[in-house]
Amino acid sequence: MTNTRRRTLIAGTLGGITISASTLDAAAAEPSRQIAFGPEGCEPDLEVDWHAGWPSSKHDPEPEIQSHAADEHTIVMRQNKSVNYEAPFMFLLFGNERALLIDTGATPEPEYFPLRATVDGHVSDWLDRHPRRKYELVVAHTHGHGDHKAADAQFAHRRRTTVVGPGLDEVLAHYGFDDWPATPREIDLGGRVVDVIPGPGHHPAATVFYDRWTRMLLTGDTFYPGRLYVDDWNAFETTVDTLVAWCDAHPVSHVVGCHVEMSVLPGVSYPRGWTYQPDEAPLPMTAAQLRELQAAVREIGGAPGKHVYDAFEVWYQAE
């Protein structure tokens, strides 16, 4: 790992300390001025050596959560594969009035996966630099599979926190979708706007998040360097077309999913359940690769099977 990259990594384990609401209020005694999340956005740094497990999970020396500051107001986190082989990524976006946590990982128990403590630590650090009173947190999901919502309960009694349920009815109600899946909605974090784009196909309530500040398109399990499991083919095809059209109409710095399963070798993935991926592909993808997925979907045409491409696989009615 280079020194530059090492400096951008933030240890995710905070000794199990939970930051209380009173502590956060005290840190926010002197409100700072509003941050200008201007239309020009920022250039997020995703050059990270992500920890990809250990030959012996029991002896892995790295923390349960690895955190990386993509910019001053954006944290990307990954669950250690030695804790859960899915090793999902999670995203913490800060605005002037509230932060948005996207996904809560694959393990519920805080003693094995201290997501609440890690997020509280990041919020406390951010408030030290940008003091605010009564700062809020919204916990949302890319979709409702267990490896993306397992730690929801860690936030159940956190003050000034809203946890958006992962079911379709809850997603429709919270974001105000009345024509699902036709029209995106918006989340205003206080000057920082995130678009919520309907994305069914992998999961009935899947959503894709577009952060206007970093210009990252956060695609969950709809698109990432790995196995794309399709539940509803027609809905998946429509979602891919929607995302390609979004990239055509908006500046996209990176397309970022929630897993890495491909290796650096084109068309070669790690087997499901492996907890050590020493030569895995990079996390960030591109709009051009999303167009490759669109072409693949056209080529597959809904045929069941495991369809392997250089940067991803498409699994439909396949085990």
Side-chain angles (χ1 to χ4, degrees):
M1 184 188 304
T2 66
N3 288 335
T4 299
R5 289 184 178 182
R6 189 181 300 277
R7 284 195 298 269
T8 63
L9 298 178
I10 305 170
T13 302
L14 302 176
I17 298 173
T18 299
I19 309 299
S20 69
S22 59
T23 299
L24 297 184
D25 282 343
E30 296 293 334
S32 65
R33 55 183 158 182
Q34 295 287 90
I35 300 164
F37 294 100
E40 71 283 355
C42 75
E43 194 60 42
D45 170 21
L46 294 181
E47 289 291 325
V48 188
D49 288 332
W50 290 108
H51 180 65
W54 199 253
S56 170
S57 297
K58 183 178 179 180
H59 302 98
D60 193 334
E62 296 300 316
E64 295 91 343
I65 301 170
Q66 178 184 356
S67 297
H68 167 73
D71 88 307
E72 170 73 9
H73 313 294
T74 308
I75 301 290
V76 183
M77 296 171 283
R78 187 187 197 181
Q79 183 169 0
N80 193 329
K81 289 186 73 68
S82 294
V83 178
N84 187 286
Y85 73 89
E86 294 281 9
F89 288 83
M90 297 144 287
F91 307 89
L92 184 61
L93 315 180
F94 292 95
N96 281 301
E97 298 173 6
R98 60 192 60 86
L100 172 66
L101 173 63
I102 300 174
D103 284 348
T104 64
T107 302
E109 299 90 352
E111 59 268 34
Y112 302 118
F113 181 54
L115 182 62
R116 162 73 185 275
T118 301
V119 170
D120 280 351
H122 289 318
V123 171
S124 180
D125 289 345
W126 190 86
L127 288 174
D128 284 344
R129 300 190 302 271
H130 310 283
R132 269 130 178 83
R133 295 188 178 95
K134 298 183 178 180
Y135 197 69
E136 300 175 5
L137 175 68
V138 177
V139 179
H141 309 86
T142 57
H143 63 290
H145 287 151
D147 55 321
H148 297 263
K149 64 176 184 179
D152 279 11
Q154 293 186 29
F155 298 89
H157 302 293
R158 187 183 188 278
R159 291 184 58 190
R160 296 188 291 279
T161 298
T162 300
V163 178
V164 182
L168 182 56
D169 289 344
E170 297 160 304
V171 168
L172 298 182
H174 181 81
Y175 297 116
F177 287 112
D178 56 11
D179 58 355
W180 177 273
T183 309
R185 293 296 186 266
E186 298 178 0
I187 304 174
D188 187 352
L189 303 180
R192 182 178 187 172
V193 177
V194 178
D195 296 281
V196 186
I197 307 166
H202 172 73
H203 183 276
T207 51
V208 171
F209 296 87
Y210 176 72
D211 174 32
R212 299 185 192 180
W213 173 243
T214 62
R215 296 162 293 154
M216 292 193 299
L217 187 67
L218 305 177
T219 49
D221 281 6
T222 296
F223 188 53
Y224 63 93
R227 292 176 288 276
L228 311 180
Y229 296 100
V230 180
D231 175 64
D232 182 327
W233 185 265
N234 290 333
F236 186 77
E237 182 172 17
T238 298
T239 290
V240 172
D241 288 344
T242 296
L243 297 181
V244 169
W246 187 275
C247 291
D248 289 339
H250 301 82
V252 174
S253 62
H254 305 281
V255 179
V256 186
C258 283
H259 301 279
V260 177
E261 295 161 352
M262 302 300 290
S263 75
V264 294
L265 299 176
V268 178
S269 63
Y270 288 92
R272 180 178 173 84
W274 278 31
T275 59
Y276 182 46
Q277 299 180 173
D279 297 303
E280 65 180 17
L283 171 66
M285 302 184 80
T286 66
Q289 289 174 310
L290 186 58
R291 294 185 185 94
E292 291 174 9
L293 174 61
Q294 185 182 47
V297 168
R298 297 280 194 273
E299 180 180 70
I300 295 166
K306 304 173 185 178
H307 308 277
V308 179
Y309 294 84
D310 283 354
F312 54 84
E313 300 176 2
V314 179
W315 287 36
Y316 179 54
Q317 296 180 356
E319 296 295 333

